[in-house]
Amino acid sequence: MSEQYSRRSFLSGVLTCGALSASAVYLLPGGHRPPPVELRLATGADPTGARKLLMDMWNQANPDTPVRFTDEVEGGSGDERKRLLTAAQNGSADILNLDIVDIPEFAAQKLITPIRLTDPNFLTSVKDLHQVADAPNSYWAAPLNTDVGMLFWRNPGTEQPDKVTLSLVLGTLVAADKRSFVGQLSPNSSNYNEGFLVNILEHALSVKPELLSSTGEILFELKPWQEALRPLRAAIEAGKVTLSSDENASLDRFVEKRPTFMRNWPVKYRELQQRKDPDLLAGKIQVYPLKPGVLGGQSLALVRTCPHPDQALRFINFMTGAAAQKILAGHGFAPTLAEAYNDRNLQAVIPHLEALRGAVEDARPRPMHPGYRTFAEVFVDHTNRMLTGESDLTSEFIAAMKAALG
């Protein structure tokens, strides 16, 4: 069976199941239809088309409770956060598709309201980051998709590691003649800074895992940070690292220049499949989890002023339910439910699916703090100046991070 046919057959089956799931929420207990309302979803753009597909399924099955995009925000994580903040403040959206790191800020400003999760099988590493403090079974948002950096390895040969450390990869590069690495290590605007920050954290953690705890707490000590980023700086100075501005540029360079390694998000594997990349089709590209990776993802939150919370929650439950999660996975996203990772059809078209689950479960979250965006600006500024040789990390770096997260 071809990859194209198996994927199409799989998605057809899931679509049927998903349509039934959507229909199941159409009627209230007792067989009564809810009053006609329109729900407004504010979200960033999705080039895969998965979210629109799921919305179309919902709207077809729930004509009295349709959902529409208020505005699909083009650009990076910083632009999305600004537009979603405005939508929540002025009441122009009912549901927000938030970057996971922005949840604490929106909660602190009382722009979103806690909800209960109906599916008990969300991955613990993801679910726990959404919980309202000291309030069991209460969550600030429902996990739509998760994310974690993965290592794309061209021609790994007989090497089959369970996990890869970036420090080991960089050390191998410096000692080799031809091998090279591409990653999102050159920020050029606020749109791309988040990718840079995550990449830097992954490199630092590969040397000093204690720099970021399992709950997202930063180690405020200068020397470990200096030591952790030396291998990356040495590899850059040796000309072994291609500095790309974002994940799309990284993928283009990986395809065109054919370096040995690429750090990127798991959705890029699906894009390689769509490009019919000859190395991928020949089984020459393997995907490995990082040790440890950094957790990302997006979540659906209920706006506090939403006039139709019951209908909005039914839509959120549909989008984060098993059928929808499998469709998202089929489009390249990392799902948030354990059931999606156990699906044999998905395992057939995503050979690294089990490794992806392990990467998500072992990943470290970024600081879950209302001051995260200020922290990100500080972190990117200081580490970028260090990597470019403009200045070393100093005690000012530690003080600025403390101030942002204080």
Side-chain angles (χ1 to χ4, degrees):
M1 182 180 292
S2 69
E3 186 275 334
Q4 181 179 7
Y5 178 77
S6 62
R7 183 180 293 273
R8 184 171 63 246
S9 299
F10 163 71
L11 288 178
S12 296
V14 171
L15 283 170
T16 301
C17 177
L20 292 174
S21 299
S23 297
V25 299
Y26 180 74
L27 296 178
L28 291 171
H32 301 293
R33 291 188 176 186
V37 300
E38 180 182 69
L39 299 172
R40 303 159 299 169
L41 172 64
T43 179
D46 172 20
T48 73
R51 288 202 295 266
K52 185 178 186 306
L53 174 62
L54 289 170
M55 278 184 54
D56 288 344
M57 287 170 51
W58 169 270
N59 289 341
Q60 183 176 5
N62 296 269
D64 286 351
T65 318
V67 179
R68 66 172 175 85
F69 292 123
T70 60
D71 187 15
E72 283 191 280
V73 182
E74 298 287 348
S77 177
D79 285 343
E80 290 180 18
R81 174 250 173 197
K82 291 177 183 176
R83 297 286 286 275
L84 269 60
L85 193 63
T86 299
Q89 290 170 337
N90 65 22
S92 62
D94 303 304
I95 304 163
L96 306 176
N97 188 22
L98 292 176
D99 190 304
I100 192 171
V101 294
D102 291 323
I103 292 174
E105 178 188 12
F106 281 66
Q109 293 194 31
K110 299 182 179 180
L111 296 173
I112 56 178
T113 192
I115 62 176
R116 291 184 179 272
L117 303 182
T118 58
D119 197 311
N121 296 313
F122 286 103
L123 298 180
T124 302
S125 61
V126 178
K127 181 177 67 174
D128 287 353
L129 297 179
H130 297 73
Q131 185 168 342
V132 178
D134 302 321
N137 301 319
S138 185
Y139 298 85
W140 287 115
L144 177 63
N145 67 272
T146 187
D147 221 347
V148 67
M150 304 288 283
L151 185 75
F152 292 65
W153 189 338
R154 194 188 306 274
N155 295 321
T158 58
E159 301 169 89
Q160 297 293 328
D162 292 331
K163 294 179 182 176
V164 181
T165 65
L166 287 175
S167 61
L168 180 62
V169 168
L170 295 180
T172 302
L173 291 176
V174 172
D177 291 331
K178 296 181 180 180
R179 291 185 172 190
S180 57
F181 173 94
V182 59
Q184 300 84 64
L185 292 163
S186 181
N188 59 12
S189 77
S190 62
N191 288 342
Y192 303 129
N193 283 354
E194 198 59 29
F196 174 85
L197 181 150
V198 172
N199 273 243
I200 296 297
L201 277 178
E202 289 167 348
H203 282 280
L205 291 173
S206 73
V207 180
K208 299 281 187 181
E210 66 272 19
L211 291 174
L212 184 65
S213 76
S214 60
T215 55
E217 296 169 335
I218 292 286
L219 179 66
F220 297 118
E221 295 181 17
L222 180 59
K223 187 175 180 179
W225 281 103
Q226 293 172 326
E227 294 174 349
L229 293 175
R230 281 174 188 160
L232 177 57
R233 182 169 177 173
I236 292 173
E237 291 174 346
K240 296 295 184 177
V241 178
T242 298
L243 311 178
S244 72
S245 60
D246 64 21
E247 58 267 28
N248 295 320
S250 288
L251 186 66
D252 290 340
R253 287 171 174 79
F254 188 67
V255 170
E256 296 164 6
K257 304 296 183 182
R258 304 185 73 251
T260 305
F261 302 103
M262 173 180 67
R263 179 273 172 209
N264 221 318
W265 304 111
V267 72
K268 296 304 173 184
Y269 185 85
R270 176 58 183 148
E271 293 186 29
L272 284 172
Q273 289 178 319
Q274 292 173 316
R275 291 186 182 207
K276 301 187 185 301
D277 181 84
D279 282 349
L280 186 76
L281 296 178
K284 295 180 179 180
I285 296 175
Q286 303 294 323
V287 182
Y288 296 98
L290 301 176
K291 183 183 178 181
V294 174
L295 201 63
Q298 296 179 309
S299 306
L300 296 177
L302 179 64
V303 176
R304 185 178 60 84
T305 57
C306 173
H308 312 290
D310 291 340
Q311 292 90 334
L313 283 173
R314 285 197 293 273
F315 173 73
I316 290 173
N317 289 334
F318 164 70
M319 292 289 285
T320 57
Q325 286 293 301
K326 292 178 183 180
I327 290 174
L328 288 168
H331 284 76
F333 290 101
T336 59
L337 286 178
E339 182 176 339
Y341 291 94
N342 298 330
D343 188 280
R344 291 185 178 181
N345 289 304
L346 276 174
Q347 292 169 352
V349 294
I350 309 173
H352 56 277
L353 189 62
E354 184 177 350
L356 176 58
R357 175 176 177 169
V360 170
E361 291 179 326
D362 294 340
R364 308 285 175 86
R366 289 161 289 169
M368 297 293 289
H369 189 279
Y372 176 82
R373 292 293 176 174
T374 301
F375 156 80
E377 292 178 5
V378 167
F379 187 93
V380 169
D381 177 54
H382 283 265
T383 56
N384 188 44
R385 284 193 278 122
M386 183 276 298
L387 290 183
T388 57
E390 181 180 338
S391 64
D392 289 326
L393 294 179
T394 67
S395 57
E396 182 184 348
F397 171 58
I398 301 300
M401 288 197 298
K402 276 186 176 180
L405 299 175

